[in-house]
Every structure is written in C-alpha cells, then in structure tokens.
C-alpha cells in the first residue's frame, strides 16, 4: 500500500517542471517503478538516509520477487509445453491402439477393463466417429438407402412447401402432422440451423455443413414424423456431423434419439421426464447434500438446468471439446453418465454455487463458463458415486417408475 | 415478493416471463433490455434463459427483475408450463413481420392466464410486444385492432418494439413494472384491510364474549 503511495507521489512530482533528477543508482531502473528511489524534488524536505535505505531495500526485494515470479512462470510454461507434447504423443499412441488393436476386434475387446480405461481418457478425434457409431449401434437397422429415401421425401416436401399446389398428395401420408405443424417444423429447422454453434460459422447458410445438417434433420422428420423436429436436435446432429460421414451421422442420430432417455425428452413424455429428474435428485442429495439443501432453499428445481443439458447432450452448454469427451463416456456408459456429468458439474462449482441466490445459480448453470478444464471436470465426475443404498441408476429409476405408476407422492414436488 | 423496508427503502423481486412463438425475438429483446446489446446470431433457447435487471425505480424503491425467457417451440410448451408459476408479470412477444405469431401470442396469453393469477384472482399484468417494428410499420387500422385485442384478451397494453434498433424496449418494460408495483401495493393494502377486518371481528367476538 505504502509503495503505491510513494509511487504516485513521485510520479506526480516527476512531471513537474522543477524536476531535479540525480541518478546515483547502481542498477538500471525499469520504468517508473524506479522513481521510488529518486530523491525528492528540491521544494520538498530531503529524504532521511535511513528512510532512503529502507526504500532501497524494499525496492530490491520487489525486484527479487518479480524475478522469482518470472522464473517460476517460465518453469510453468516449460512444464505446460512438456505436458502438451506428452499429451499429443499419448493421443497419437492411443489413436494407433484404437485403430489397429481395438477397432478390428471390437466385439471381443469393447468391454474389457483396459479398453474402458482408455475410453475414459477420451477418444482420439481420428477414431471418435467410428467408436461412437459402434457404441450407439444400429438397432433400427437403418441403411444408407433408407437414409436416401427419407432425404428424397424430405426434399419433395420442401419443394411442395415452396410450391403449395403440389402439397395435396403428400399431405395425406403424414401420420398425424397437420400442415401447420409441418410448416412450422420446416421453418424451425431452417431457423435452428442458423442458431447451431453460430460461432463456428460452418452450419450457417453458405457454410460447408449447412446442407448436411439440413438434410439429416429433414430426413429424420420423414423417418419419424411422429417425433418430428424438436429444438435441441440440431445440436446433436451437428456434433455427429463433425465426427462422421453424412449417412453414418444419420444412422447414429436416429438410433441415439431412440434410446429411452432421449425418446422421453424428445417426445416430451412429461411423467417419464419427471421420473428422470427425481432419480437425478436421489443421487444429487447423496453426493452433494449441502448443495442439494441450498438449491431446495432457493426453490431451484433440477429441470431448470437439466432440460438444456439433456436435450442437447451438453453440446450447447459445455465447450465443444469437453462435450465430445462427455459423449465419449456417454457412449460407453449410457444415460447414467449424462446425469453423472450433471452432478460432476455441480460438484466442480459447489463452492461458488452455495454462495449464489436463485437467479444467479440459474444463470450460471444455463450459461456455464467458456473455459472449463477437462481434467478438473472429469476428476470431479470421477468423484460422483452412482450407487444409492446399493442401488444403481437403472434400479433407482425403475423403482421410481413403479412408484409413479402407483402414484407415489415422491414425484409431486 | 418484496424485501424488508429499511429506512423507507424497499427492494422488490419480481419474476417476469418472456413468452411467444419461436423466432419472434424474445432473447434479443431481453439482451437489449439487460445488456443494451443486439446480436444477429444467438443460440437457440432450450428450456429457459435467465437474466436479471436491477432498476432503481425511485429514491426509495429498487426493483430486481428476474427475466425468464422461455423456449418458444410449440412442442415444448407443455414442458415449460411449469416455469410459469409465481410470476408477477409477462412480456408476450410476437413478430410484426409474421402474422401467425400474433395468434401464437394470444395462445400464450391464454395459457398464461390458465396457469397463474394474482391473489385476487385477476390475471397477472401482461404487455403485448409487436417486435421487429424496424422491418415494417403499423398502419392505423392495425393499431386500432391491437388496441381492441388488448382489451379483449386482457393485456394491460401493447408496444411496437425493436430490439435491433432499441425502440420502446425500456418503455415497454417500465410500463409493465409500473403495473406490477401497483398490483403489489394493492395486494399489500388488501392484506392490511383483511387483517384489520379480522382484528375487528376478533375484538367484536371478544366483546360479546365478556
């Protein structure tokens, strides 16, 4: 504090015309900091030697500390560089292991401990799409041809939409979708594409993946007219497109949305969604009791943040590289991991969140920080225990579902 | 809803919904109002986007507005209904360049009234916003139509706004807050009256007792 005072004082005096500088310093001063050591201007009483000595000492200490800090930072930078090289090397090694060892023997190896451990560390980008495809599977038996048929039908509809006279024929074939609904769906896809990862500028009109994203979403509305297009889907399709070919992305997209949790959300099966939220809260309370109580006191229910996170599988809320790593393990562990990730995020920010009120928590969780360390978030997720009184996620969910059928009061909060 | 009154200073916390069909500019409106910024490209809202605006209403009143900007897709409407509860007011937005979104806005208003109401049973104050007015003009006929609609559907008023050009954004919000504050005062008064009536009744019954 005092140093700052001296600094300002002498800075002011140094710009006065009566400047009288005697440089008797034994080292080269850097910038204005050294002004501290200058003698006082002639119009002020001279600095006693004792005080001058003290200031010199303080200044030298400051310089020494700055040097120490610089050295430390240089060391840190070197360490970071080393780490990055090591990391890149390990990615390179991992990519080889995945492509030469694991992928050719997928069925026999995919559930081994070694592969699962390697999987947790994140899939190398070069094999990511392939592993996702294999892990998501193709229960629906969708072929490239089926995709092309759906796409052709979607294109017919777009044309019919542009020229409404031709619309009458296709209209009767739509299962339960009114003209207005379909119109809204087409318009909404167009709009949402422009609002999907806008900062990447690759899905927007004129961008390289604009047509691909449009095709996949359009084809899906023809493949599943009963589900149609729901906001959030564009983010999922976009992440898949970034990692695989168009037809594979469509196959993965349709199969992914067909999983129970995703179907519950995208068909807006309200009671099933509430069951998921309730199951989440069971694990929330057990893993983070303090934060759970804090949220409860602030009437902050889990749907406020989970809707966004689950609908887009974190691709909208987490930085893309971390979202992809969440997808990696989601492909390995299934829906349970989505909720485990949610708890990992809450755990990571527990200290900040416990000091926030309702609106700030809601804002924070629906707009997570731009910079999140992958290491930190994954170590936080590791610490989340997905066993509740010896029951696993699926068992808790099932018990709640049964309870709900019997009208358990647990869900009526 | 209102905070403690220290030295005659009151702080209020109000929850305000921002609702309307997709693409009408709800998020842009909120961003303009809260940050005084306009973004051409925004990410789709999934669920709810939260914002906070603090207004120093007058020398002894501060208002904290919690803005709940709710995803507009028809399909998700049922889902987002749960977010309506305990709100004090609403901004119902439609896009002037897209007539069907006005019907949408009326549906949203209907939904709102079926979900929330004031303590005295009246609808919560809602303002109709004809957004994107920079792209088109309200002719006189439309203006009288909107006036009529407001009366029929129970809006406290309407504004033509532009988040892009910053037209009527503050004014519309201020108008809503004014009504929310009035409602708040009235309900406080009503409560006081009720309490007095209760006291009188009590004292009466006491006196007959003795």
């Amino acid at each position: 504090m005092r140093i700052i005072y001296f600094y300002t004082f002498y800075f002011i005096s140094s710009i006065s015309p009566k400047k009288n500088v005697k440089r008797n310093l034994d080292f080269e001063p850097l910038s204005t900091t050294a002004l501290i050591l200058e003698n006082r201007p002639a119009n002020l009483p001279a600095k006693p030697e004792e005080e001058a000595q003290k200031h010199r000492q303080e200044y030298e200490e400051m310089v020494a500390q700055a040097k120490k800090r610089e050295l430390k930072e240089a060391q840190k930078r070197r360490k970071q560089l080393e780490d990055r090289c090591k990391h890149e090397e390990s990615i390179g090694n991992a990519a080889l292991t995945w492509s030469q060892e694991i992928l050719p023997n997928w069925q026999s190896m995919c559930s081994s401990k070694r592969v699962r451990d390697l999987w947790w560390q994140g899939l190398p980008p070069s094999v990511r799409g392939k592993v996702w495809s294999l892990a998501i599977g193709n229960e629906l038996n969708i072929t490239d041809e089926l995709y092309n048929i759906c796409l052709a039908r979607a294109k017919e509809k777009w044309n019919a939409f542009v020229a409404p006279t031709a619309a009458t024929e296709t209209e009767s074939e739509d299962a339960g979708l009114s003209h207005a609904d379909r119109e809204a769906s087409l318009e909404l896809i167009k709009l949402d594409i422009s609002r999907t990862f806008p900062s990447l500028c690759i899905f927007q009109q004129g961008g390289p993946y604009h047509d691909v994203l449009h095709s996949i979403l359009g084809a899906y509305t023809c493949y599943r007219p009963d589900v149609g297009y729901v906001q959030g889907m564009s983010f999922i399709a976009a992440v898949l497109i970034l990692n695989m070919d168009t037809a594979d992305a469509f196959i993965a997209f349709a199969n992914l949305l067909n999983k129970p949790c995703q179907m519950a959300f995208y068909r807006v099966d309200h009671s099933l969604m509430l069951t998921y939220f309730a199951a989440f809260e069971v694990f929330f309370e057990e893993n983070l009791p303090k934060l759970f109580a804090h949220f409860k006191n602030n009437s902050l229910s889990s749907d406020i943040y989970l809707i966004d996170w689950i609908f887009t599988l974190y691709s909208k809320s987490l930085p893309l590289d971390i979202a992809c790593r969440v997808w990696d393990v989601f492909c390995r562990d299934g829906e349970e991991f989505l909720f485990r990730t949610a708890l990992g995020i809450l755990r990571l920010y527990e200290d900040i969140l416990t000091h926030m009120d309702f609106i700030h928590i809601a804002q924070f969780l629906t707009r997570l920080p731009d910079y999140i360390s992958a290491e930190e978030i994954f170590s936080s997720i590791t610490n989340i225990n997905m066993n509740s009184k010896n029951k696993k996620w699926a068992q808790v969910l099932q018990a709640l579902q049964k309870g709900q059928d019997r009208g358990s009061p647990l869900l009526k909060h | 809803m209102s905070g403690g009154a220290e030295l005659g200073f009151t702080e209020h916390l109000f929850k305000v919904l921002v609702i309307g069909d997709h693409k009408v500019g709800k998020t842009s409106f909120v961003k303009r109002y809260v940050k005084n910024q306009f973004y051409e490209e925004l990410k789709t809202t999934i669920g709810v986007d939260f914002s906070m605006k603090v207004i120093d209403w007058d020398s002894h009143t501060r208002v904290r507005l919690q803005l709940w900007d709710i995803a507009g897709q028809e399909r998700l409407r049922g889902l987002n209904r749960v977010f309506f509860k305990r709100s004090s007011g609403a901004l119902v937005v439609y896009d002037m360049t897209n007539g069907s979104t006005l019907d949408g806005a009326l549906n949203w208003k209907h939904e709102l009234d079926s979900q929330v109401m004031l303590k005295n049973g009246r609808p919560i104050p809602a303002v109709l916003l004809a957004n994107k007015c920079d792209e088109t003009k309200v002719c006189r006929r439309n203006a009288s139509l909107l006036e009529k609609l407001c009366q029929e559907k129970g809006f406290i008023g309407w504004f033509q706004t532009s988040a892009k050009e910053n037209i009527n954004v503050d004014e519309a919000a201020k108008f809503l807050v004014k009504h929310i504050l009035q409602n708040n005062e009235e309900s406080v008064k009503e409560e006081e009256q009720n309490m007095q009536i209760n006291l009188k009744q009590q004292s009466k019954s006491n006196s007959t007792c003795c």
Side-chain angles (χ1 to χ4, degrees), chain A residues 61-340:
Chain A
E61 273 165 18
M62 273 167 65
V63 171
Q65 255 168 13
K67 271 186 186 161
K68 219 165 138 190
R69 220 175 17 244
E70 244 171 59
L71 202 71
K72 236 186 195 166
E73 262 162 33
Q75 273 173 343
K76 205 172 133 198
R77 270 197 302 274
R78 203 178 315 130
K79 175 94 175 51
Q80 272 174 345
L81 192 70
E82 271 169 23
D83 284 352
R84 204 184 305 148
C85 288
K86 230 188 257 170
H87 183 61
E88 267 164 29
E89 205 184 293
S90 75
I91 286 180
N93 289 340
L96 274 183
T97 313
W98 279 98
S99 60
Q100 293 183 354
E101 264 187 73
I102 304 168
L103 286 176
N105 308 299
W106 180 252
Q107 286 308 331
S108 59
M109 282 184 83
C110 70
S111 44
S112 72
K113 186 168 184 308
R114 185 174 149 243
V115 172
R116 287 177 65 83
D117 287 349
L118 203 59
W119 203 332
W120 174 269
Q121 287 158 28
L123 298 170
S126 57
V127 297
R128 184 167 261 155
K130 191 83 195 117
V131 177
W132 285 2
S133 278
L134 285 166
I136 293 167
N138 189 3
E139 247 187 351
L140 298 167
N141 285 317
I142 299 171
T143 55
D144 289 16
E145 287 75 47
L146 183 59
Y147 167 65
N148 286 322
I149 294 168
C150 290
L151 178 60
R153 291 205 53 191
K155 282 185 174 160
E156 263 171 47
K157 282 185 185 172
W158 292 331
N159 293 336
F161 180 52
V162 178
T165 41
T168 39
E169 205 187 323
T170 47
E171 203 154 13
S172 55
E173 290 172 44
D174 273 327
L177 266 192
S178 71
H179 180 72
D181 258 358
R182 203 179 64 214
E183 195 177 313
S185 224
L186 286 173
E187 194 198 316
L188 200 57
I189 290 177
K190 223 171 102 190
L191 166 73
D192 269 7
I193 286 177
S194 70
R195 302 199 294 198
T196 304
F197 299 119
S199 56
L200 291 180
C201 291
I202 52 176
F203 296 106
Q204 284 62 46
Q205 189 85 46
Y209 288 136
H210 172 267
D211 292 349
V212 181
L213 184 53
H214 206 256
S215 296
I216 287 181
L217 296 173
Y220 187 75
T221 61
C222 291
Y223 176 69
R224 286 299 295 263
D226 57 322
V227 181
Y229 175 74
V230 183
Q231 289 191 307
M233 283 184 182
S234 64
F235 282 90
I236 295 188
V239 174
L240 291 169
I241 289 167
L242 290 173
N243 288 286
M244 48 185 96
D245 293 340
T246 310
D248 288 338
F250 178 76
I251 294 168
F253 182 71
N255 280 286
L256 188 59
L257 294 194
N258 203 45
K259 304 217 174 276
C261 176
Q262 275 59 47
M263 253 311 134
F265 275 71
Y266 277 110
R267 296 191 77 163
V268 198
D269 179 342
H270 224 127
S271 66
L272 190 49
M273 285 172 78
L274 285 176
T275 313
Y276 273 104
F277 297 147
F280 169 77
E281 294 195 355
V282 168
F283 290 92
F284 185 5
E285 188 169 15
E286 275 187 27
N287 279 280
L288 307 161
K290 253 196 238 160
L291 193 63
F292 183 81
H294 179 65
F295 277 22
K296 204 157 202 180
N297 289 338
N298 281 281
S299 336
L300 196 124
S301 50
S302 53
D303 50 353
I304 279 176
Y305 46 93
L306 284 181
I307 284 178
D308 181 75
W309 292 354
I310 304 296
F311 261 106
T312 62
L313 301 176
Y314 297 95
S315 56
K316 182 176 162 256
S317 26
L318 286 177
L320 197 54
D321 56 327
I322 295 180
C324 283
R325 280 197 58 185
V326 171
W327 281 46
D328 290 345
V329 189
F330 163 59
C331 286
R332 191 191 81 168
D333 293 1
E335 63 183 39
E336 168 185 330
F337 189 71
L338 296 176
F339 296 93
R340 196 175 171 196

Side-chain angles (χ1 to χ4, degrees), chain A residues 177 181 184 187-188 191-192 194-198 204 226-232 234-235 266-268 270 273 299 303-304 307-308 311-312 315-316 357-360 362-363 366-367 413, chain B residues 13 15 22-25 27 31 34-35 41-52 64-68 71-83 85-86 98 100-101:
Chain A
L177 266 192
D181 258 358
E187 194 198 316
L188 200 57
L191 166 73
D192 269 7
S194 70
R195 302 199 294 198
T196 304
F197 299 119
Q204 284 62 46
D226 57 322
V227 181
Y229 175 74
V230 183
Q231 289 191 307
S234 64
F235 282 90
Y266 277 110
R267 296 191 77 163
V268 198
H270 224 127
M273 285 172 78
S299 336
D303 50 353
I304 279 176
I307 284 178
D308 181 75
F311 261 106
T312 62
S315 56
K316 182 176 162 256
D357 62 355
F358 173 89
I359 194 76
H360 291 102
Q363 262 184 317
T366 50
R367 238 170 291 158
H413 49 189
Chain B
L13 179 66
K15 168 175 169 181
H22 59 87
K23 206 201 173 178
V24 297
T27 306
K31 292 258 189 268
V34 175
K35 297 187 172 171
E41 298 291 354
L42 283 168
K43 279 190 189 174
T44 309
T45 306
I46 315 277
V48 189
D49 249 357
F50 295 91
S51 305
M52 173 83 139
R64 287 176 188 275
L65 282 191
Q66 270 182 8
L67 294 153
W68 291 49
Q73 190 183 3
E74 174 87 37
R75 188 76 66 83
L76 303 175
R77 198 171 293 181
L79 180 67
N80 291 329
R81 212 179 284 149
V82 296
F83 298 133
K85 62 189 175 195
R86 283 195 283 266
N98 180 355
S100 72
T101 61

Side-chain angles (χ1 to χ4, degrees), chain B residues 59-135:
Chain B
S59 57
H60 48 87
T61 319
R62 176 171 291 161
V63 175
R64 287 176 188 275
L65 282 191
Q66 270 182 8
L67 294 153
W68 291 49
D69 167 11
I70 290 178
Q73 190 183 3
E74 174 87 37
R75 188 76 66 83
L76 303 175
R77 198 171 293 181
L79 180 67
N80 291 329
R81 212 179 284 149
V82 296
F83 298 133
F84 284 15
K85 62 189 175 195
R86 283 195 283 266
S87 42
S88 311
L91 297 164
V92 187
V93 191
Y94 84 95
D95 174 359
M96 281 178 79
T97 66
N98 180 355
S100 72
T101 61
L102 178 56
D103 296 332
L106 300 182
N107 283 335
W108 279 97
K109 172 73 166 85
H110 183 74
E111 190 120 331
L112 176 73
D113 291 342
S114 66
Q115 297 292 320
V116 263
M117 54 180 80
L118 296 174
K119 272 184 199 149
N120 57 21
R122 281 195 314 224
I124 65 164
V127 178
L128 180 64
L129 303 183
N131 197 29
K132 305 192 189 177
C133 75
D134 53 290
E135 291 179 33

Side-chain angles (χ1 to χ4, degrees), chain B residues 135-189:
Chain B
E135 291 179 33
T136 178
K137 266 191 188 134
V138 178
C139 59
R140 204 170 287 163
R141 214 185 106 249
N142 275 344
S144 62
L145 181 83
L146 283 173
E147 201 64 52
K148 205 173 137 233
L149 263 183
C150 279
Q151 279 176 4
E152 273 174 18
K153 307 290 177 185
F155 287 99
I156 54 168
W158 68 279
F159 285 81
Q160 45 173 323
T161 58
S162 164
K164 194 174 181 178
E165 302 295 336
N166 197 8
I167 301 169
N168 275 341
V169 173
D170 277 337
E171 289 77 359
K174 208 168 178 183
F175 183 75
L176 179 66
V177 172
K178 199 175 89 185
H179 278 262
I180 295 174
L181 281 169
Q182 274 172 5
N183 281 334
N184 197 53
E185 260 171 49
E186 277 167 27
S187 77
V188 170
K189 265 185 207 154

